[in-house]
């Protein structure tokens, strides 16, 4: 990770019509850093991610990427993995990965080779011709990640990509993803509502309050890299998750 | 017997049971159709033997088949087939294109457009046929136009609803990968609604044929519809029934063909 700021979110407020989703968000992400956004459901974490990805224009404030203001999707620099994965069910795994290169105008031969390579990278080199409905949830997840990696964008935005998986698979896949992203030097912004996932994967965690989302605190994770599952039993890990949960629950006024 | 041979034998007997079941299913299906034909034969020879418009199936085959093969009848069949094909081509291309685009319009424009199309769908078109003749003239053009209007409305309606419901994240993901507006239409919206378009075309084909035949039955000088009117006037039950059967056969062929395409196009949907 370098000290260079790659993504800079400045006083960003987001709204859908009259509904304010987020207020005055300000945080930075350094090149090669893994930053998680956590907060209660519906607090506007996903909206913040969409704003970074250029899919949602801020009402006020700006998002900067590599020094220039983000005004729309930037496929060469940012790839996005959606919560529902947004795989194209009529395309095979291989062709789902290829589509990112197809839109970028890469020739058929090159995109086939690169897509195959990306599938190998996520451990799906043996099932390129299966369709999404023939793959398990975890495998679909890997296809979506391969599609995001194939374009060589330096920033990866992940919107609760493991939400549909069980805790075990989620942490295992997360760990594998982490290793892969470290090797490739990607900058990652990761939305999740799992405290242990955020603590295990991130360099820093942006904790958001209930809607309209504001930033409550930005916490640096004290665990060294590379991460290992045994770290989840370390006292620092438990201190961190305790702190996260007390931050998240302090506004909770009990069942409404 | 070793475990492997046991498994092989079990698999084989499983296959055989499936084959037997499939054979039984076909037998039962054929028997149902045969029973309907026999019932028709009995009714036509029994209580309705003096009816001028219903002939027994045996008579339809013996008298009717030779009639269908006469040059005049073949010409009428060709005229109707030609009109249907042209009308259906227009329905398939223009109907699905219009539906695709209308489904992607601004939400409230889409809803307004859908109201208009829904009213048109509910409206019986038959009373307006004389207007079509006045606009397009008597003959092939007005018959094609009447077929088009019947088939087009449901195709537009079904396609536009499907196109409006494409999963928004599929389109957003296209945007994040740099797809242009045209690429999103061609590579995301079209494939995701293709199964709905084919289902719509199946209904559209039946209604297009209906429109062409209605036009021919009402004000027309040739084609199958006009031929049917003549056979009714001439009390030629066997001929009448034979040509109706040929129309049925045509409809079955179209429906089966489109059904096959529909199954192929929607294989990825579960």
């Amino acid at each position: 990770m370098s000290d260079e700021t790659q993504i800079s979110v400045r006083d960003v407020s987001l709204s859908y019509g009259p509904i304010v989703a987020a207020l005055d968000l300000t945080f930075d992400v350094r090149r090669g850093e893994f930053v998680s956004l956590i907060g209660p459901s519906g607090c506007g974490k996903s909206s913040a991610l969409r704003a970074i990805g250029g899919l949602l224009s801020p009402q006020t404030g700006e998002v900067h990427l590599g020094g220039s203001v983000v005004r729309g999707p930037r496929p060469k620099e940012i790839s996005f993995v959606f919560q529902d994965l947004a795989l194209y069910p009529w395309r095979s795994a291989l062709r789902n990965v290829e589509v990112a290169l197809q839109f970028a105008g890469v020739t058929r031969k090159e995109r086939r080779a690169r897509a195959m390579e990306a599938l190998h990278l996520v451990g799906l080199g043996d099932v390129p011709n299966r369709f999404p409905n023939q793959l398990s949830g975890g495998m679909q997840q890997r296809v979506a990640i391969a599609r995001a990696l194939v374009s060589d964008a330096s920033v990866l935005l992940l919107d609760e990509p493991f939400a549909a998986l069980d805790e075990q698979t989620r942490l295992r896949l997360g760990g594998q993803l982490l290793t892969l992203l470290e090797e490739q030097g990607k900058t990652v912004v990761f939305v999740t509502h799992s405290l242990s996932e955020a603590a295990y994967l991130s360099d820093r965690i942006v904790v958001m309050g209930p809607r309209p989302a504001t930033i409550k605190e930005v916490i640096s994770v004290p665990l060294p890299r590379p991460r290992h599952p045994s770290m989840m039993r370390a006292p620092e890990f438990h201190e961190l998750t305790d702190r996260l949960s007390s931050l998240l629950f302090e506004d909770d006024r009990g069942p409404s | 017997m070793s475990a492997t041979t046991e498994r092989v034998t079990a698999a084989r007997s499983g296959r055989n049971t499936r084959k037997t079941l499939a054979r039984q299913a076909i037998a039962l299906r054929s028997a149902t159709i045969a029973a309907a034909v026999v019932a028709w034969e009995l009714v036509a020879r029994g209580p309705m033997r003096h009816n001028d418009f219903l002939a027994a199936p045996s008579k339809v085959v013996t008298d009717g088949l030779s009639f269908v093969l006469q040059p005049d009848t073949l010409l009428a069949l060709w005229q109707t087939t030609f009109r249907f094909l042209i009308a259906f081509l227009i329905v398939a291309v223009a109907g699905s294109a219009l539906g695709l685009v209308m489904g992607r319009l601004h939400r409230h424009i889409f809803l307004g457009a859908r109201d208009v199309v829904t009213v048109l769908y509910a409206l019986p078109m038959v009373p307006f046929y004389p207007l079509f003749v006045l606009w397009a003239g008597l003959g092939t053009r007005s018959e094609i136009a009447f077929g088009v209007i019947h088939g087009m409305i449901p195709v537009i309606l079904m396609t536009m609803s499907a196109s409006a419901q494409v999963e928004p994240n599929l389109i957003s993901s296209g945007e994040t990968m740099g797809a242009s507006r045209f690429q999103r239409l061609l590579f995301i919206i079209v494939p995701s609604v293709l199964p709905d378009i084919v289902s719509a075309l199946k209904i559209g084909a039946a209604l297009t044929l209906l429109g062409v035949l209605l036009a021919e039955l009402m004000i027309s000088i040739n084609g199958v519809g006009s031929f049917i009117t003549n056979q009714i006037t001439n009390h030629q039950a066997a001929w009448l029934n034979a040509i109706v059967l040929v129309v049925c056969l045509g409809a079955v062929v179209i429906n089966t063909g489109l059904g096959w395409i529909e199954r192929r196009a929607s294989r990825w949907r579960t």
Side-chain angles (χ1 to χ4, degrees), chain A residues 50 73 84 88-90 102 133, chain B residues 169-170 172-173 187 191-192 268:
Chain A
R50 291 180 91 89
D84 59 7
Y88 300 144
W90 57 88
Q102 187 181 353
N133 63 8
Chain B
N169 267 353
L170 290 186
S172 296
S173 82
F187 294 111
S192 85
W268 52 268

Side-chain angles (χ1 to χ4, degrees), chain B residues 14-260:
Chain B
R15 247 197 320 272
N16 286 341
T17 322
R18 265 203 302 281
K19 257 189 206 157
T20 319
L21 281 176
R23 235 178 273 137
Q24 280 173 351
I26 291 173
L28 202 58
R29 215 164 149 171
S30 317
T32 310
I33 298 171
V37 174
V38 169
W40 174 8
E41 183 83 35
L42 291 177
V43 170
R45 284 176 181 275
M48 290 186 73
R49 63 186 172 280
H50 299 304
N51 192 292
D52 288 339
F53 307 108
L54 185 74
S58 53
K59 202 158 182 301
V60 172
V61 172
T62 48
D63 292 11
L65 207 60
S66 59
F67 165 77
V68 168
L69 294 173
Q70 282 173 10
D72 281 0
T73 327
L74 289 178
L75 179 65
L77 282 170
W78 165 244
Q79 283 159 339
T80 302
T81 308
F82 172 75
R83 286 166 192 156
F84 164 76
L85 288 177
I86 299 290
F88 186 57
L89 186 72
I90 297 172
V91 166
V93 174
S96 46
L98 272 172
L100 271 172
V101 172
M102 284 164 81
R104 302 311 304 171
L105 294 174
H106 181 278
R107 181 88 195 139
H108 296 290
I109 300 179
F110 160 73
L111 290 175
R114 199 183 60 182
D115 290 342
V116 173
V117 181
T118 309
V119 168
L120 287 177
Y121 186 49
L123 198 66
M125 291 287 168
V126 172
F128 302 104
Y129 185 59
L131 279 178
F132 278 74
V133 174
L134 290 176
W135 287 330
L138 186 63
T140 298
R141 274 202 308 187
S142 59
E143 283 143 10
I144 290 176
F146 206 55
V148 168
I149 199 80
H150 269 85
M152 182 93 101
I153 304 289
V155 169
I156 292 179
L157 192 61
M158 288 172 72
T159 309
M160 75 193 289
S161 304
S163 149
Q165 281 167 16
V166 174
E167 187 57 51
N169 267 353
L170 290 186
I171 297 165
S172 296
S173 82
E175 280 181 68
T176 63
M177 290 187 278
S180 65
R181 189 179 276 268
F182 180 68
Q183 283 176 321
R184 295 202 294 267
L185 183 72
L186 198 63
F187 294 111
I188 301 173
I189 296 167
V190 169
S192 85
V193 302
L194 195 62
D196 302 289
I197 293 182
V198 182
S199 309
L201 289 182
K202 221 165 110 182
I203 294 171
L207 288 173
T208 304
L209 184 60
L210 172 78
V212 170
L213 286 173
L214 275 177
E216 289 178 349
L217 279 165
M218 283 186 292
I219 313 172
S220 174
I221 41 176
N222 54 26
V224 169
S226 162
F227 231 83
I228 289 175
T229 321
N230 286 343
Q231 303 324 316
I232 293 174
T233 321
N234 297 338
H235 295 212
Q236 289 292 349
W239 296 2
L240 172 66
N241 294 171
I243 197 123
V244 169
L245 275 184
V246 171
V247 172
C248 291
L249 194 70
V252 168
V253 167
I254 297 162
N255 201 49
T256 311
L258 287 169
W260 182 78

Side-chain angles (χ1 to χ4, degrees), chain A residues 109-148:
Chain A
K109 203 176 154 199
E110 188 191 334
R111 66 184 190 234
R112 183 128 303 184
R114 279 173 64 185
M116 203 59 223
E117 200 183 321
L119 279 180
H120 274 294
L121 212 57
V122 296
L124 287 181
D126 52 337
V127 289
N129 296 321
R130 291 223 199 139
F131 285 80
N133 63 8
Q134 299 170 320
L135 297 170
S136 70
M139 286 161 113
Q140 292 180 9
Q141 191 56 65
R142 289 160 191 264
V143 176
I145 287 169
R147 185 167 79 178

Side-chain angles (χ1 to χ4, degrees), chain A residues 68-99:
Chain A
S68 62
V69 179
V70 173
R71 298 192 195 283
R74 297 226 204 140
K76 290 201 179 95
E77 294 154 283
I78 305 180
S79 41
F80 209 117
V81 177
F82 291 83
Q83 184 171 3
D84 59 7
L85 306 183
L87 292 178
Y88 300 144
W90 57 88
R91 283 181 166 244
S92 66
L94 182 66
R95 293 189 65 234
N96 257 292
V97 178
E98 247 181 74
V99 77

